[in-house]
């Protein structure tokens, strides 16, 4: 939680801590950048801070290739400029406990989805290479290839389930 307002920072921290999340807090953009590393999964980032705007902090997080989800949190109503901002969610203050926890759960789900998608993509590339380079008989006899196919099928099922859960969370169900 990166926010210059103590009340917001402490409230978010209490809500998240009570829900079982490990929470780091920072009082400024610079302190936030010092606190964000590869162990951080989700950042709740105030967009308007006196020392460094949240937009700049977000750009720096992305430039460092920190693998995390970022929700911008602001008291200013959004304008069309948010289209160009590389955030994963956008919250307008005041944010109550329920909205905060729903957002964090959604972002955690998105992180899980992204990781499964990367794993699946990597395994599909390996499968494709083997299918091009190996004789069909060798593939048919390979236990490793069979395990690869099983893992691909598992990840495809997992992604389908995650998509359905995500759709349910945002209220989009077919």
């Amino acid at each position: 939680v990166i926010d210059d307002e103590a009340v917001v920072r402490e409230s978010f921290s209490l809500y998240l801590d009570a829900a079982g999340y490990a929470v780091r807090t920072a009082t400024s953009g610079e302190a936030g950048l010092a606190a964000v590393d590869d162990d951080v999964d989700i950042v709740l980032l105030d967009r308007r801070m006196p020392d460094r705007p949240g937009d700049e902090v977000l750009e720096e997080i992305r430039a460092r290739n920190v693998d995390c989800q970022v929700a911008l949190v602001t008291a200013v109503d959004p304008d069309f400029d948010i289209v160009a901002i590389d955030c994963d969610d956008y919250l307008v203050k005041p944010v109550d406990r329920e909205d905060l926890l729903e957002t964090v759960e959604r972002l955690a789900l998105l992180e899980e989805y992204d990781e499964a998608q990367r794993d699946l993509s990597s395994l599909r590339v390996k499968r494709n290479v083997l299918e091009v380079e190996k004789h069909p008989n060798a593939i048919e006899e390979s236990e490793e290839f069979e395990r690869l196919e099983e893992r691909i099928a598992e990840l495809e099922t997992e992604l389908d389930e995650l998509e359905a859960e995500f759709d349910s969370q945002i209220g989009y169900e077919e």
Side-chain angles (χ1 to χ4, degrees):
V1 176
I2 304 171
D3 200 305
D4 61 313
E5 295 180 57
V7 171
V8 172
R9 202 173 49 252
E10 291 167 11
S11 296
F12 284 10
S13 183
L14 286 171
Y15 297 156
L16 294 166
D17 188 55
Y21 293 98
V23 181
R24 295 180 189 176
T25 61
T27 61
S28 68
E30 289 301 321
L33 285 170
V36 173
D37 58 29
D38 288 329
D39 292 332
V40 173
D41 296 317
I42 297 167
V43 176
L44 301 172
L45 176 60
D46 185 11
R47 190 167 180 196
R48 307 279 181 185
M49 292 182 286
D51 74 316
R52 191 162 182 187
D55 297 12
E56 288 181 17
V57 174
L58 175 58
E59 287 178 18
E60 180 67 25
I61 290 170
R62 298 299 192 220
R64 291 180 183 179
N65 291 316
V66 177
D67 187 21
C68 64
Q69 306 298 313
V70 179
L72 283 178
V73 185
T74 183
V76 178
D77 288 335
D79 203 350
F80 292 104
D81 67 331
I82 69 168
V83 172
I85 298 173
D86 187 16
C87 64
D88 301 294
D89 210 327
Y90 197 98
L91 298 169
V92 178
K93 293 177 182 176
V95 179
D96 65 22
R97 181 182 182 281
E98 183 179 332
D99 287 341
L100 178 74
L101 293 176
E102 284 176 2
T103 298
V104 169
E105 288 169 12
R106 189 171 45 254
L107 291 172
L109 186 62
L110 185 58
E111 178 71 19
E112 186 179 349
Y113 180 87
D114 287 349
E115 185 176 318
Q117 188 65 50
R118 281 191 302 272
D119 290 348
L120 178 60
S121 179
S122 174
L123 294 177
R124 284 178 173 165
V125 166
K126 293 172 185 176
R127 177 185 62 190
N128 293 347
V129 168
L130 290 170
E131 287 176 336
V132 168
E133 299 296 328
K134 295 301 227 179
H135 190 276
N137 289 343
I139 289 174
E140 191 174 306
E141 295 172 1
S142 171
E143 290 181 20
E144 290 92 352
F145 193 84
E146 184 179 336
R147 284 193 297 274
L148 175 64
E149 289 276 56
E150 288 170 359
R151 182 64 184 137
I152 288 172
E154 288 171 5
L155 283 170
E156 289 171 340
T157 300
E158 181 181 335
L159 283 167
D160 287 344
E161 291 169 357
L162 288 170
E163 286 175 13
E165 186 176 343
F166 189 75
D167 286 348
S168 175
Q169 280 189 5
I170 61 173
Y172 177 76
E173 298 180 61
E174 294 179 22

